[in-house]
mmCIF file of all heavy atoms in Angstrom:
data_model
loop_
_atom_site.group_PDB
_atom_site.id
_atom_site.type_symbol
_atom_site.label_atom_id
_atom_site.label_comp_id
_atom_site.label_asym_id
_atom_site.label_seq_id
_atom_site.Cartn_x
_atom_site.Cartn_y
_atom_site.Cartn_z
ATOM 1 N N LEU A 1 16.210 26.030 150.549
ATOM 2 C CA LEU A 1 17.349 26.249 149.664
ATOM 3 C C LEU A 1 17.799 27.703 149.737
ATOM 4 O O LEU A 1 16.973 28.620 149.592
ATOM 5 C CB LEU A 1 16.971 25.895 148.227
ATOM 6 C CG LEU A 1 18.001 26.208 147.145
ATOM 7 C CD1 LEU A 1 19.257 25.372 147.341
ATOM 8 C CD2 LEU A 1 17.398 25.978 145.779
ATOM 9 N N VAL A 2 19.092 27.906 149.957
ATOM 10 C CA VAL A 2 19.682 29.240 149.947
ATOM 11 C C VAL A 2 20.996 29.207 149.185
ATOM 12 O O VAL A 2 21.607 28.153 149.016
ATOM 13 C CB VAL A 2 19.928 29.802 151.361
ATOM 14 C CG1 VAL A 2 18.615 29.996 152.101
ATOM 15 C CG2 VAL A 2 20.861 28.892 152.140
ATOM 16 N N GLN A 3 21.428 30.375 148.737
ATOM 17 C CA GLN A 3 22.717 30.502 148.076
ATOM 18 C C GLN A 3 23.839 30.615 149.097
ATOM 19 O O GLN A 3 23.604 31.016 150.247
ATOM 20 C CB GLN A 3 22.722 31.719 147.156
ATOM 21 C CG GLN A 3 21.804 31.586 145.958
ATOM 22 C CD GLN A 3 21.963 32.722 144.983
ATOM 23 O OE1 GLN A 3 22.060 33.877 145.383
ATOM 24 N NE2 GLN A 3 22.000 32.393 143.702
ATOM 25 N N PRO A 4 25.055 30.247 148.715
ATOM 26 C CA PRO A 4 26.184 30.422 149.631
ATOM 27 C C PRO A 4 26.267 31.848 150.151
ATOM 28 O O PRO A 4 26.085 32.811 149.404
ATOM 29 C CB PRO A 4 27.395 30.077 148.768
ATOM 30 C CG PRO A 4 26.858 29.128 147.745
ATOM 31 C CD PRO A 4 25.460 29.615 147.449
ATOM 32 N N GLY A 5 26.555 31.977 151.436
ATOM 33 C CA GLY A 5 26.593 33.273 152.091
ATOM 34 C C GLY A 5 25.277 33.710 152.687
ATOM 35 O O GLY A 5 25.243 34.689 153.446
ATOM 36 N N GLY A 6 24.215 33.006 152.385
ATOM 37 C CA GLY A 6 22.909 33.349 152.896
ATOM 38 C C GLY A 6 22.671 32.839 154.304
ATOM 39 O O GLY A 6 23.548 32.239 154.936
ATOM 40 N N SER A 7 21.456 33.068 154.794
ATOM 41 C CA SER A 7 21.086 32.702 156.153
ATOM 42 C C SER A 7 19.763 31.959 156.177
ATOM 43 O O SER A 7 18.896 32.158 155.314
ATOM 44 C CB SER A 7 20.965 33.948 157.039
ATOM 45 O OG SER A 7 22.195 34.633 157.152
ATOM 46 N N LEU A 8 19.614 31.112 157.171
ATOM 47 C CA LEU A 8 18.359 30.450 157.475
ATOM 48 C C LEU A 8 18.191 30.395 158.983
ATOM 49 O O LEU A 8 19.182 30.387 159.720
ATOM 50 C CB LEU A 8 18.318 29.026 156.925
ATOM 51 C CG LEU A 8 18.121 28.820 155.430
ATOM 52 C CD1 LEU A 8 18.269 27.327 155.105
ATOM 53 C CD2 LEU A 8 16.760 29.314 154.982
ATOM 54 N N ARG A 9 16.952 30.325 159.424
ATOM 55 C CA ARG A 9 16.659 30.142 160.836
ATOM 56 C C ARG A 9 15.765 28.922 160.992
ATOM 57 O O ARG A 9 14.616 28.932 160.542
ATOM 58 C CB ARG A 9 15.979 31.373 161.430
ATOM 59 C CG ARG A 9 15.817 31.311 162.951
ATOM 60 C CD ARG A 9 15.221 32.601 163.503
ATOM 61 N NE ARG A 9 15.126 32.586 164.957
ATOM 62 C CZ ARG A 9 16.074 32.991 165.776
ATOM 63 N NH1 ARG A 9 17.221 33.470 165.293
ATOM 64 N NH2 ARG A 9 15.894 32.944 167.093
ATOM 65 N N LEU A 10 16.301 27.888 161.622
ATOM 66 C CA LEU A 10 15.536 26.694 161.905
ATOM 67 C C LEU A 10 14.836 26.829 163.249
ATOM 68 O O LEU A 10 15.377 27.409 164.190
ATOM 69 C CB LEU A 10 16.434 25.459 161.941
ATOM 70 C CG LEU A 10 17.244 25.136 160.684
ATOM 71 C CD1 LEU A 10 18.008 23.834 160.884
ATOM 72 C CD2 LEU A 10 16.344 25.048 159.462
ATOM 73 N N SER A 11 13.646 26.273 163.328
ATOM 74 C CA SER A 11 12.911 26.260 164.570
ATOM 75 C C SER A 11 12.372 24.862 164.815
ATOM 76 O O SER A 11 11.980 24.161 163.881
ATOM 77 C CB SER A 11 11.760 27.269 164.534
ATOM 78 O OG SER A 11 11.079 27.311 165.769
ATOM 79 N N CYS A 12 12.358 24.464 166.062
ATOM 80 C CA CYS A 12 11.838 23.168 166.464
ATOM 81 C C CYS A 12 10.900 23.370 167.641
ATOM 82 O O CYS A 12 11.323 23.854 168.698
ATOM 83 C CB CYS A 12 12.978 22.229 166.837
ATOM 84 S SG CYS A 12 12.445 20.606 167.425
ATOM 85 N N ALA A 13 9.651 23.008 167.455
ATOM 86 C CA ALA A 13 8.656 23.080 168.517
ATOM 87 C C ALA A 13 8.382 21.678 169.040
ATOM 88 O O ALA A 13 8.087 20.767 168.264
ATOM 89 C CB ALA A 13 7.373 23.719 168.004
ATOM 90 N N VAL A 14 8.492 21.509 170.353
ATOM 91 C CA VAL A 14 8.337 20.215 170.999
ATOM 92 C C VAL A 14 7.012 20.187 171.738
ATOM 93 O O VAL A 14 6.665 21.138 172.441
ATOM 94 C CB VAL A 14 9.489 19.945 171.983
ATOM 95 C CG1 VAL A 14 9.363 18.557 172.591
ATOM 96 C CG2 VAL A 14 10.837 20.116 171.291
ATOM 97 N N SER A 15 6.289 19.110 171.593
ATOM 98 C CA SER A 15 5.025 18.966 172.299
ATOM 99 C C SER A 15 4.885 17.545 172.833
ATOM 100 O O SER A 15 5.608 16.634 172.428
ATOM 101 C CB SER A 15 3.837 19.319 171.404
ATOM 102 O OG SER A 15 3.742 18.426 170.311
ATOM 103 N N GLU A 16 3.951 17.389 173.751
ATOM 104 C CA GLU A 16 3.645 16.092 174.358
ATOM 105 C C GLU A 16 4.843 15.500 175.099
ATOM 106 O O GLU A 16 4.931 14.279 175.244
ATOM 107 C CB GLU A 16 3.104 15.109 173.320
ATOM 108 C CG GLU A 16 1.837 15.598 172.634
ATOM 109 C CD GLU A 16 1.293 14.611 171.628
ATOM 110 O OE1 GLU A 16 1.543 13.398 171.771
ATOM 111 O OE2 GLU A 16 0.613 15.052 170.692
ATOM 112 N N ALA A 17 5.738 16.351 175.567
ATOM 113 C CA ALA A 17 6.850 15.924 176.409
ATOM 114 C C ALA A 17 6.466 16.186 177.862
ATOM 115 O O ALA A 17 6.524 17.319 178.329
ATOM 116 C CB ALA A 17 8.121 16.669 176.042
ATOM 117 N N THR A 18 6.068 15.151 178.558
ATOM 118 C CA THR A 18 5.625 15.295 179.938
ATOM 119 C C THR A 18 6.776 15.289 180.927
ATOM 120 O O THR A 18 6.581 15.614 182.097
ATOM 121 C CB THR A 18 4.633 14.180 180.292
ATOM 122 O OG1 THR A 18 5.254 12.906 180.118
ATOM 123 C CG2 THR A 18 3.399 14.262 179.406
ATOM 124 N N PHE A 19 7.968 14.933 180.484
ATOM 125 C CA PHE A 19 9.142 14.895 181.341
ATOM 126 C C PHE A 19 9.850 16.244 181.347
ATOM 127 O O PHE A 19 9.576 17.117 180.524
ATOM 128 C CB PHE A 19 10.102 13.803 180.864
ATOM 129 C CG PHE A 19 10.488 13.918 179.415
ATOM 130 C CD1 PHE A 19 11.540 14.726 179.022
ATOM 131 C CD2 PHE A 19 9.794 13.216 178.448
ATOM 132 C CE1 PHE A 19 11.898 14.838 177.693
ATOM 133 C CE2 PHE A 19 10.141 13.317 177.107
ATOM 134 C CZ PHE A 19 11.193 14.131 176.733
ATOM 135 N N THR A 20 10.789 16.391 182.276
ATOM 136 C CA THR A 20 11.624 17.584 182.321
ATOM 137 C C THR A 20 12.684 17.496 181.232
ATOM 138 O O THR A 20 13.441 16.531 181.167
ATOM 139 C CB THR A 20 12.306 17.726 183.683
ATOM 140 O OG1 THR A 20 11.302 17.869 184.695
ATOM 141 C CG2 THR A 20 13.213 18.952 183.718
ATOM 142 N N ILE A 21 12.728 18.500 180.367
ATOM 143 C CA ILE A 21 13.673 18.515 179.259
ATOM 144 C C ILE A 21 15.025 19.032 179.742
ATOM 145 O O ILE A 21 15.109 20.075 180.378
ATOM 146 C CB ILE A 21 13.150 19.369 178.101
ATOM 147 C CG1 ILE A 21 11.878 18.759 177.517
ATOM 148 C CG2 ILE A 21 14.216 19.515 177.015
ATOM 149 C CD1 ILE A 21 11.214 19.611 176.459
ATOM 150 N N GLY A 22 16.070 18.278 179.428
ATOM 151 C CA GLY A 22 17.417 18.706 179.755
ATOM 152 C C GLY A 22 18.075 19.364 178.571
ATOM 153 O O GLY A 22 17.704 20.463 178.150
ATOM 154 N N LEU A 23 19.036 18.685 178.000
ATOM 155 C CA LEU A 23 19.754 19.190 176.840
ATOM 156 C C LEU A 23 18.834 19.275 175.627
ATOM 157 O O LEU A 23 17.968 18.418 175.433
ATOM 158 C CB LEU A 23 20.926 18.273 176.541
ATOM 159 C CG LEU A 23 22.135 18.810 175.807
ATOM 160 C CD1 LEU A 23 22.810 19.915 176.606
ATOM 161 C CD2 LEU A 23 23.116 17.661 175.559
ATOM 162 N N MET A 24 19.028 20.295 174.819
ATOM 163 C CA MET A 24 18.306 20.469 173.567
ATOM 164 C C MET A 24 19.311 20.867 172.500
ATOM 165 O O MET A 24 20.337 21.483 172.808
ATOM 166 C CB MET A 24 17.232 21.559 173.675
ATOM 167 C CG MET A 24 16.259 21.394 174.821
ATOM 168 S SD MET A 24 15.138 22.814 175.001
ATOM 169 C CE MET A 24 14.048 22.558 173.596
ATOM 170 N N GLY A 25 19.017 20.541 171.253
ATOM 171 C CA GLY A 25 19.938 20.969 170.215
ATOM 172 C C GLY A 25 19.630 20.404 168.847
ATOM 173 O O GLY A 25 18.520 19.940 168.577
ATOM 174 N N TRP A 26 20.644 20.471 168.000
ATOM 175 C CA TRP A 26 20.548 20.048 166.614
ATOM 176 C C TRP A 26 21.766 19.227 166.220
ATOM 177 O O TRP A 26 22.907 19.573 166.564
ATOM 178 C CB TRP A 26 20.471 21.260 165.671
ATOM 179 C CG TRP A 26 19.254 22.102 165.824
ATOM 180 C CD1 TRP A 26 19.066 23.120 166.704
ATOM 181 C CD2 TRP A 26 18.055 22.007 165.051
ATOM 182 N NE1 TRP A 26 17.820 23.673 166.538
ATOM 183 C CE2 TRP A 26 17.183 23.007 165.534
ATOM 184 C CE3 TRP A 26 17.638 21.180 164.010
ATOM 185 C CZ2 TRP A 26 15.901 23.205 164.999
ATOM 186 C CZ3 TRP A 26 16.372 21.373 163.483
ATOM 187 C CH2 TRP A 26 15.521 22.371 163.972
ATOM 188 N N HIS A 27 21.520 18.135 165.520
ATOM 189 C CA HIS A 27 22.548 17.404 164.787
ATOM 190 C C HIS A 27 22.224 17.502 163.309
ATOM 191 O O HIS A 27 21.124 17.912 162.932
ATOM 192 C CB HIS A 27 22.589 15.936 165.212
ATOM 193 C CG HIS A 27 23.180 15.708 166.564
ATOM 194 N ND1 HIS A 27 23.814 14.518 166.896
ATOM 195 C CD2 HIS A 27 23.230 16.478 167.679
ATOM 196 C CE1 HIS A 27 24.225 14.585 168.147
ATOM 197 N NE2 HIS A 27 23.883 15.766 168.642
ATOM 198 N N ARG A 28 23.177 17.113 162.470
ATOM 199 C CA ARG A 28 22.917 17.072 161.045
ATOM 200 C C ARG A 28 23.632 15.888 160.417
ATOM 201 O O ARG A 28 24.610 15.380 160.952
ATOM 202 C CB ARG A 28 23.352 18.375 160.362
ATOM 203 C CG ARG A 28 24.865 18.557 160.263
ATOM 204 C CD ARG A 28 25.200 19.922 159.700
ATOM 205 N NE ARG A 28 26.633 20.078 159.489
ATOM 206 C CZ ARG A 28 27.225 21.217 159.162
ATOM 207 N NH1 ARG A 28 26.489 22.318 158.986
ATOM 208 N NH2 ARG A 28 28.541 21.265 158.986
ATOM 209 N N GLN A 29 23.128 15.490 159.259
ATOM 210 C CA GLN A 29 23.759 14.427 158.504
ATOM 211 C C GLN A 29 23.792 14.823 157.037
ATOM 212 O O GLN A 29 22.744 15.001 156.413
ATOM 213 C CB GLN A 29 23.031 13.093 158.679
ATOM 214 C CG GLN A 29 23.761 11.925 158.058
ATOM 215 C CD GLN A 29 23.248 10.589 158.536
ATOM 216 O OE1 GLN A 29 22.128 10.480 159.013
ATOM 217 N NE2 GLN A 29 24.076 9.567 158.421
ATOM 218 N N ALA A 30 25.005 14.966 156.506
ATOM 219 C CA ALA A 30 25.208 15.305 155.113
ATOM 220 C C ALA A 30 25.362 14.028 154.294
ATOM 221 O O ALA A 30 25.706 12.969 154.840
ATOM 222 C CB ALA A 30 26.445 16.182 154.962
ATOM 223 N N PRO A 31 25.132 14.108 152.983
ATOM 224 C CA PRO A 31 25.290 12.921 152.141
ATOM 225 C C PRO A 31 26.673 12.295 152.280
ATOM 226 O O PRO A 31 27.689 12.982 152.176
ATOM 227 C CB PRO A 31 25.067 13.464 150.732
ATOM 228 C CG PRO A 31 24.202 14.665 150.927
ATOM 229 C CD PRO A 31 24.668 15.275 152.220
ATOM 230 N N GLY A 32 26.714 11.003 152.541
ATOM 231 C CA GLY A 32 27.963 10.288 152.643
ATOM 232 C C GLY A 32 28.741 10.512 153.924
ATOM 233 O O GLY A 32 29.879 10.050 154.026
ATOM 234 N N LYS A 33 28.150 11.189 154.896
ATOM 235 C CA LYS A 33 28.845 11.485 156.137
ATOM 236 C C LYS A 33 28.047 10.998 157.338
ATOM 237 O O LYS A 33 26.846 10.755 157.245
ATOM 238 C CB LYS A 33 29.105 12.990 156.273
ATOM 239 C CG LYS A 33 29.969 13.586 155.178
ATOM 240 C CD LYS A 33 30.241 15.055 155.408
ATOM 241 C CE LYS A 33 31.109 15.279 156.627
ATOM 242 N NZ LYS A 33 31.446 16.718 156.818
ATOM 243 N N GLU A 34 28.736 10.859 158.460
ATOM 244 C CA GLU A 34 28.083 10.473 159.700
ATOM 245 C C GLU A 34 27.341 11.663 160.295
ATOM 246 O O GLU A 34 27.678 12.820 160.037
ATOM 247 C CB GLU A 34 29.107 9.949 160.698
ATOM 248 C CG GLU A 34 29.827 8.681 160.264
ATOM 249 C CD GLU A 34 28.897 7.496 160.177
ATOM 250 O OE1 GLU A 34 28.024 7.362 161.063
ATOM 251 O OE2 GLU A 34 29.025 6.702 159.232
ATOM 252 N N ARG A 35 26.347 11.354 161.096
ATOM 253 C CA ARG A 35 25.636 12.399 161.804
ATOM 254 C C ARG A 35 26.596 13.102 162.768
ATOM 255 O O ARG A 35 27.405 12.452 163.444
ATOM 256 C CB ARG A 35 24.444 11.818 162.552
ATOM 257 C CG ARG A 35 23.543 12.868 163.177
ATOM 258 C CD ARG A 35 22.293 12.254 163.786
ATOM 259 N NE ARG A 35 21.454 11.618 162.774
ATOM 260 C CZ ARG A 35 20.204 11.209 162.996
ATOM 261 N NH1 ARG A 35 19.642 11.380 164.186
ATOM 262 N NH2 ARG A 35 19.522 10.622 162.025
ATOM 263 N N GLU A 36 26.503 14.430 162.847
ATOM 264 C CA GLU A 36 27.406 15.200 163.683
ATOM 265 C C GLU A 36 26.648 16.261 164.467
ATOM 266 O O GLU A 36 25.591 16.737 164.056
ATOM 267 C CB GLU A 36 28.499 15.868 162.840
ATOM 268 C CG GLU A 36 27.976 16.911 161.877
ATOM 269 C CD GLU A 36 29.071 17.638 161.120
ATOM 270 O OE1 GLU A 36 30.260 17.487 161.491
ATOM 271 O OE2 GLU A 36 28.748 18.350 160.149
ATOM 272 N N LEU A 37 27.234 16.638 165.587
ATOM 273 C CA LEU A 37 26.675 17.716 166.396
ATOM 274 C C LEU A 37 26.803 19.044 165.668
ATOM 275 O O LEU A 37 27.869 19.379 165.152
ATOM 276 C CB LEU A 37 27.409 17.796 167.735
ATOM 277 C CG LEU A 37 27.074 19.011 168.599
ATOM 278 C CD1 LEU A 37 25.653 18.902 169.154
ATOM 279 C CD2 LEU A 37 28.079 19.164 169.730
ATOM 280 N N VAL A 38 25.727 19.803 165.649
ATOM 281 C CA VAL A 38 25.759 21.184 165.192
ATOM 282 C C VAL A 38 25.852 22.117 166.395
ATOM 283 O O VAL A 38 26.768 22.936 166.497
ATOM 284 C CB VAL A 38 24.528 21.532 164.340
ATOM 285 C CG1 VAL A 38 24.584 22.995 163.903
ATOM 286 C CG2 VAL A 38 24.438 20.610 163.138
ATOM 287 N N ALA A 39 24.906 22.000 167.302
ATOM 288 C CA ALA A 39 24.888 22.838 168.492
ATOM 289 C C ALA A 39 23.977 22.223 169.531
ATOM 290 O O ALA A 39 23.005 21.551 169.192
ATOM 291 C CB ALA A 39 24.418 24.260 168.158
ATOM 292 N N ARG A 40 24.273 22.467 170.801
ATOM 293 C CA ARG A 40 23.405 22.031 171.876
ATOM 294 C C ARG A 40 23.454 23.047 173.002
ATOM 295 O O ARG A 40 24.432 23.789 173.146
ATOM 296 C CB ARG A 40 23.774 20.637 172.375
ATOM 297 C CG ARG A 40 25.204 20.481 172.861
ATOM 298 C CD ARG A 40 25.508 19.016 173.090
ATOM 299 N NE ARG A 40 26.886 18.796 173.531
ATOM 300 C CZ ARG A 40 27.460 17.612 173.600
ATOM 301 N NH1 ARG A 40 26.778 16.517 173.255
ATOM 302 N NH2 ARG A 40 28.713 17.501 174.007
ATOM 303 N N ILE A 41 22.400 23.059 173.807
ATOM 304 C CA ILE A 41 22.259 24.065 174.851
ATOM 305 C C ILE A 41 21.620 23.429 176.067
ATOM 306 O O ILE A 41 20.633 22.703 175.969
ATOM 307 C CB ILE A 41 21.455 25.278 174.320
ATOM 308 C CG1 ILE A 41 21.320 26.363 175.387
ATOM 309 C CG2 ILE A 41 20.095 24.852 173.778
ATOM 310 C CD1 ILE A 41 20.793 27.678 174.822
#
């Protein structure tokens, strides 16, 4: 939880992936809305 104007840093650590990873990123889903792209790399 943060106040408007604040910052957060999300981190995602992936393990047990034996394949070659291609695209990585984040989606989000807000209440009452469809899941949407945030960012991908």
Side-chain angles (χ1 to χ4, degrees):
L1 174 65
V2 296
Q3 292 187 317
S7 297
L8 285 174
R9 188 176 183 89
L10 302 183
S11 183
C12 177
V14 183
S15 64
E16 301 181 26
T18 59
F19 54 86
T20 298
I21 296 174
L23 205 62
M24 307 173 73
W26 295 86
H27 287 208
R28 72 185 185 189
Q29 188 165 21
K33 299 183 67 177
E34 296 294 320
R35 187 174 296 192
E36 65 176 349
L37 171 70
V38 179
R40 57 190 179 191
I41 181 168

